[in-house]
Amino acid sequence: MTMDPLVLLTDVDRATDELLRSAADLDPAAVGSPSRLPGWTVGHVLTHVARNADALTNLLTTARTGVETPPYPSPEARETGIQDGAARPLRDQLEDIRASHERFADAAAAMPAEAWAVFLPWLGQSAAALPWTRLREVTVHHVDLGLGYTPAEWSDAFSLRLLREIVAGATDDWPALQLRPYGIEHVLTIGSAPSPPVVGGPTRSIAAWLAGRHDGTDLTVSPDGELPTPARWK
């Protein structure tokens, strides 16, 4: 997948449209139904998707203006915003996602070339990573809505980038693993154990399994045995 933030913005537009089309078919009462995320309803997920767009818009503004604007006023404010918005009517939820996406898109369009290189401490990367961050949020949380959209619909490019990101960010609480995605020549490694289990399968399935969005039923493990349990991906 390209690293060009301007190209990725087109993917963000497409992913947002796909999520909105899925959610538009919901029974309005479904906002109170459980999502695939423990403790969150469909309304929680939809509200989070909208507030995440606003958080990333704040970071784009920081990069463009030099005025520090945190993504959220505080962790407590982030949680309160999601809880307060979760029970809103479906129509309001969808309009909120559309409007917050437009704010994000407008802020990205206003970025001069040099602003994409500004390092953002909250992100731990330059602003150029923000379109990918948004694409990842929309695409993964589309799965969490439980509306029939699954990781099987992820593109190869998205799946590989997500997989590499998860592997690069794995901490000591992750089990040691060797990952062999089909069609990828090199092995991806988590941990430093001398002979870790080798997990093979489609790239999207491995990425989704590590992200907690797939049960791993189409993955193989060698030596024979049960799949290890990944740590919780954040």
Side-chain angles (χ1 to χ4, degrees):
M1 175 169 281
T2 178
M3 298 291 286
D4 187 332
L6 299 181
V7 174
L8 282 173
L9 288 170
T10 301
D11 294 331
V12 174
D13 289 340
R14 184 182 304 111
T16 303
D17 286 343
E18 290 175 349
L19 184 150
L20 287 170
R21 283 197 299 271
S22 292
D25 292 334
L26 280 169
D27 181 316
V31 293
S33 300
S35 73
R36 295 189 60 194
L37 289 178
W40 271 19
T41 64
V42 168
H44 284 92
V45 176
L46 292 173
T47 299
H48 170 63
V49 169
R51 298 289 71 77
N52 172 261
D54 286 337
L56 299 185
T57 297
N58 287 342
L59 295 182
L60 287 170
T61 301
T62 296
R64 179 175 59 84
T65 66
V67 178
E68 291 192 2
T69 308
Y72 299 96
S74 68
E76 293 76 19
R78 173 186 179 275
E79 180 66 22
T80 298
I82 294 171
Q83 295 295 337
D84 289 349
R88 292 173 299 161
L90 178 62
R91 180 183 300 177
D92 293 351
Q93 299 270 15
L94 300 185
E95 181 53 39
D96 190 13
I97 291 174
R98 289 190 191 95
S100 61
H101 170 68
E102 289 174 3
R103 290 191 291 270
F104 175 80
D106 288 346
M111 291 276 283
E114 62 273 14
W116 290 111
V118 172
F119 180 79
L120 298 169
W122 297 288
L123 188 66
Q125 301 180 70
S126 72
L130 288 170
W132 159 254
T133 301
R134 181 58 182 166
L135 177 62
R136 183 192 64 213
E137 287 289 308
V138 173
T139 303
V140 172
H141 286 310
H142 193 170
V143 174
D144 295 332
L145 289 172
L147 303 179
Y149 177 87
T150 72
E153 299 180 61
W154 293 353
S155 71
D156 290 338
F158 174 86
S159 301
L160 182 57
R161 181 163 181 175
L162 178 62
L163 175 58
R164 287 174 170 163
E165 181 177 79
I166 294 172
V167 169
T171 52
D172 291 342
D173 57 337
W174 281 73
L177 294 167
Q178 279 193 0
L179 306 171
R180 295 182 179 271
Y182 295 161
I184 307 298
E185 293 183 0
H186 60 282
V187 176
L188 299 174
T189 302
I190 294 177
S192 57
S195 299
V198 178
V199 176
T203 303
R204 58 177 56 86
S205 296
I206 297 177
W209 170 63
L210 293 178
R213 269 72 181 184
H214 182 52
D215 59 10
T217 51
D218 59 346
L219 302 180
T220 63
V221 59
S222 177
D224 291 340
E226 294 186 359
L227 280 170
T229 301
R232 183 174 180 271
W233 176 62
K234 300 177 180 179

